[in-house]
Amino acid sequence: MTDKATLVVGDQRYDLPIVQGTEGERGIDIRKLRDQSGLITLDPGYGNTGSCRSAITYIDGERGILRYRGIPIEQFEQHPNFVEVAWLLIFGNLPSREEYARFSAELTGNANIDESMKHNFQGFPRAAPPMAILSAMINALSCFHPELHELEGPDQLEAAAANLISKVRTIAAFAYRRSHGLAYMYPDPKLPYAANFLHMMFSQPYNEYLCDDRVRDALNLVLILHADHEQNCSTSTVRMVGSSKANLFASCAAGVCALWGPLHGGANVKVLDMLETIHQGRMTPEEYVRLAKDKGSKVRLMGFGHRVYKSVDPRAVVLQRTAERLLAFLGTDDPLLNIARRLEEIALSDSYFVERKLYPNVDFYSGIILRAIGIPTNMFTVIFAIGRLPGWIAHWREQNESPDGKIARPRQIYTGNRETAYKPRDQRG
Ligand code: ACO
C-alpha cells in the first residue's frame, strides 16, 4: 500500500506522507503543506480533519464499535465500575488491586469541597442552570488548589484527577440541592462513587437514601458509557484549551460549556421533552416521526442519528438493555419507555431513516434510566459531564505529554473587506 499521497496544483506536485493507525485507518499528513505550497485545507466542522494521534478510544462508526483502550464497551456491562474505567482511560490500563485501592481512597479523601465554597452556591439564583453552576464551580475549585495547577509527573496527575473526579460529583449534587432549597448532604466515606453521589442527591438529614445495588450498577453504566468518545466537541475543547498550557481545572470547565449545547450533551434533555410531548397526547409516535421526516418542520427525531455512527450506536444497545432491566427491577411501567420503543420500531422500518443510516444514539435511552433513578431532567447533562470527566482528563494528559502537542491554532480563509481606509466620524453618514 502506498505511503504517500500526491497533490497536484497546476504544474506543481506535492508529496504528502500517509500515516496509519493501529486499526488500519489512514490519513494524509499535511503538516508541511503550507510551508511547501502556501495552501491550507478548509474543513468546517472538521469532518475530515484529524487533530491529533490518540491512543485512548477507538470508534468504528460503520460497524458500531466503541473501545476504551482496546476494551469493547459491552464488556463493562458485567463489571459496571466507573472508577476502574476512569483509571483505565487516564492511565492506559485497568488498575491493579493496589492502584484501585489507592485511587478509591483518594476519591474518598477528596470528596468534600472547601466549606467556604458553599457560599458560591448561595450566590446563584435558585433557577440557575446546573451546567452553568458546574462550569463556574470547577473554575472556583481551581482557586482552592493552586498546588494542582502545574502538574509534575503521574503522581500529581493522579492527585488532580482524584480531586476533580471526586469533587465534581459533590458540586453536581450541591447544585441540585441548592435548586430545590434542600440542605447540602456531605459525602459519606463508607459509600462507593455512584452510591455516594445518589446519597448526596437524595438523602435527607432525617432520612438516609439507601441505594440498591441494581440502581448503583445502572448509574455506573450510564457514567461508563459517557466516559469518552474520542475527539467530540467538548473533548476537542478541553484539548484546545489545554494546548495553551491552561491548567486541568480551566480546561475541564471549558469542556462543560461545550457539552451544554443541545447538539451535544444537551440532546438527552431534548429526548425527554420529545417523549413527554408524545405522552401528553399532543402527538402520536407515528405523527411525530412523520413530522421529523418533513423538511419544512425543523423537527428531528431526537436521540437518533450521529455524525460518526452510520450503524447502531453500541452505547444505545447497552443502555436499552439497562433501562429494561432497571425498570423491571423497580417495577416501574414508564410510559415513556413504551413510547421510545415504539418510535424506534417505526423509524427502523421506515426507508427515510434506513437510507440515511439513522439509528438510536446514546441519548435515546439514557434519560429513561436517569428518570427511573429519580434524577430530574435538568440534571441529565450534568450526569453526562460527570461521566465524561475521565475522558477529558485522559485527553488533556495525552495532549500535554505529546511531542506533537503544539498550541492549537487553526488557519482560515479570509472573506472580509480588502484594505479599507479609516474614515473619521465627522465624515461618516
Ligand atoms: N431526525 C430526522 N432526520 C434526521 C435526523 C433526525 N434525528 N438526523 C439526521 N437526519 C437527516 C437530515 O435531515 C439529513 O437529511 P437530508 O440528507 O435529506 O438532508 C440527513 O439525515 C443527514 O443528517 P445531518 O444533519 O447532515 O447529519 P450530521 O452528521 O450533521 O448530524 C446529528 C448528526 C447532529 C446527531 C443529527 O443526526 C441530529 O440532529 N440528531 C438529533 C439530535 C441528537 O440526537 N443529538 C445527539 C447526538 S449524540 C451526542 O452528541 C452525545
Side-chain angles (χ1 to χ4, degrees):
M1 212 180 279
T2 176
D3 59 357
K4 68 171 193 220
T6 305
L7 175 69
V8 181
V9 184
D11 54 3
Q12 297 290 322
R13 295 170 70 84
Y14 306 100
D15 285 339
L16 301 164
I18 289 190
V19 290
Q20 181 155 339
T22 46
E23 291 286 346
E25 73 279 23
R26 283 150 54 84
I28 303 170
D29 181 344
I30 58 160
R31 270 178 290 188
K32 300 244 180 315
L33 179 65
R34 188 169 176 278
D35 281 351
Q36 289 173 0
S37 67
L39 297 167
I40 63 165
T41 56
L42 180 65
D43 185 20
Y46 310 127
N48 303 283
T49 298
S51 60
C52 60
R53 296 171 204 244
S54 181
I56 300 169
T57 285
Y58 174 68
I59 302 176
D60 181 334
E62 308 302 324
R63 292 192 291 154
I65 292 173
L66 172 59
R67 298 183 197 137
Y68 296 158
R69 300 284 187 183
I71 302 177
I73 48 120
E74 294 79 5
Q75 295 190 13
F76 298 112
E77 197 174 353
Q78 302 309 318
H79 314 277
N81 185 318
F82 178 62
V83 172
E84 262 194 5
V85 171
W87 181 279
L88 170 73
L89 288 168
I90 298 168
F91 297 104
N93 54 280
L94 286 168
S96 65
R97 267 177 286 185
E98 190 272 327
E99 286 165 338
Y100 181 75
R102 189 179 72 227
F103 196 51
S104 298
E106 285 173 315
L107 290 171
T108 302
N110 272 293
N112 275 307
I113 53 174
D114 191 287
E115 194 66 11
S116 57
M117 278 185 82
K118 277 203 214 163
H119 296 295
N120 298 45
F121 286 97
Q122 295 309 116
F124 289 105
R126 285 272 280 271
M131 286 297 272
I133 299 180
L134 187 63
S135 173
M137 293 302 267
I138 291 176
N139 269 320
L141 193 58
S142 75
C143 307
F144 291 88
H145 296 284
E147 78 285 4
L148 297 176
H149 286 193
E150 283 181 31
L151 306 178
E152 303 282 345
D155 289 352
Q156 280 205 329
L157 179 83
E158 185 176 322
N163 189 297
L164 251 175
I165 292 172
S166 190
K167 287 189 170 58
V168 82
R169 159 190 66 160
T170 312
I171 290 170
F174 280 26
Y176 167 79
R177 309 287 296 200
R178 161 76 186 140
S179 69
H180 286 73
L182 298 167
Y184 301 122
M185 290 303 301
Y186 288 97
D188 179 343
K190 295 188 295 304
L191 293 175
Y193 191 87
N196 210 347
F197 172 65
L198 294 174
H199 152 71
M200 286 189 274
M201 287 280 290
F202 300 133
S203 283
Q204 301 298 345
Y206 47 84
N207 189 9
E208 193 185 344
Y209 171 87
L210 296 174
C211 181
D212 187 275
D213 289 356
R214 278 152 286 198
V215 173
R216 181 203 60 199
D217 286 354
L219 182 58
N220 265 299
L221 265 176
V222 170
L223 296 176
I224 289 169
L225 293 170
H226 287 85
D228 194 40
H229 214 231
E230 47 115 308
Q231 310 308 321
N232 58 84
C233 178
S234 56
T235 303
S236 296
T237 301
V238 170
R239 288 186 85 119
M240 178 165 253
V241 175
S243 79
S244 75
K245 300 293 173 206
N247 67 63
L248 184 61
F249 296 89
S251 305
C252 290
V256 171
C257 294
L259 189 70
W260 192 356
L263 292 188
H264 191 15
N268 53 17
V269 175
K270 299 285 175 203
V271 172
L272 249 281
D273 291 347
M274 172 184 79
L275 297 176
E276 285 284 9
T277 301
I278 295 170
H279 177 53
Q280 284 160 15
R282 294 201 291 274
M283 232 178 267
T284 63
E286 287 76 8
E287 282 166 346
Y288 196 94
V289 170
R290 216 172 299 133
L291 208 57
K293 295 192 295 178
D294 175 359
K295 296 291 174 199
S297 76
K298 292 198 177 154
V299 168
R300 285 197 163 190
L301 188 53
M302 296 311 289
F304 252 73
H306 197 276
R307 172 63 61 83
V308 178
Y309 292 116
K310 298 305 165 198
S311 69
V312 71
D313 178 341
R315 301 169 297 178
V317 177
V318 178
L319 286 173
Q320 180 176 10
R321 273 200 297 265
T322 308
E324 307 269 1
R325 219 170 27 234
L326 182 66
L327 265 60
F329 160 67
L330 294 172
T332 313
D333 184 18
D334 187 346
L336 300 197
L337 177 60
N338 296 329
I339 293 170
R341 285 195 198 111
R342 181 74 192 127
L343 284 173
E344 182 178 351
E345 192 186 356
I346 299 169
L348 295 185
S349 58
D350 186 314
S351 59
Y352 174 96
F353 293 90
V354 174
E355 281 161 16
R356 288 171 180 75
K357 301 184 176 168
L358 303 171
Y359 295 89
N361 62 44
V362 67
D363 295 316
F364 199 65
Y365 287 104
S366 61
I368 294 187
I369 299 171
L370 296 177
R371 194 172 127 94
I373 294 175
I375 293 170
T377 315
N378 73 344
M379 288 290 290
F380 285 7
T381 317
V382 171
I383 304 291
F384 192 153
I386 298 174
R388 186 54 56 91
L389 189 58
W392 290 339
I393 296 172
H395 282 273
W396 184 91
R397 177 193 189 187
E398 187 176 67
Q399 192 278 332
N400 212 259
E401 294 177 356
S402 162
D404 295 341
K406 291 172 153 191
I407 186 164
R409 201 315 185 175
R411 296 271 177 173
Q412 63 167 12
I413 300 289
Y414 174 69
T415 59
N417 290 338
R418 305 291 303 270
E419 184 174 339
T420 311
Y422 176 82
K423 201 188 256 186
R425 206 172 305 138
D426 59 5
Q427 293 173 25
R428 293 176 226 155

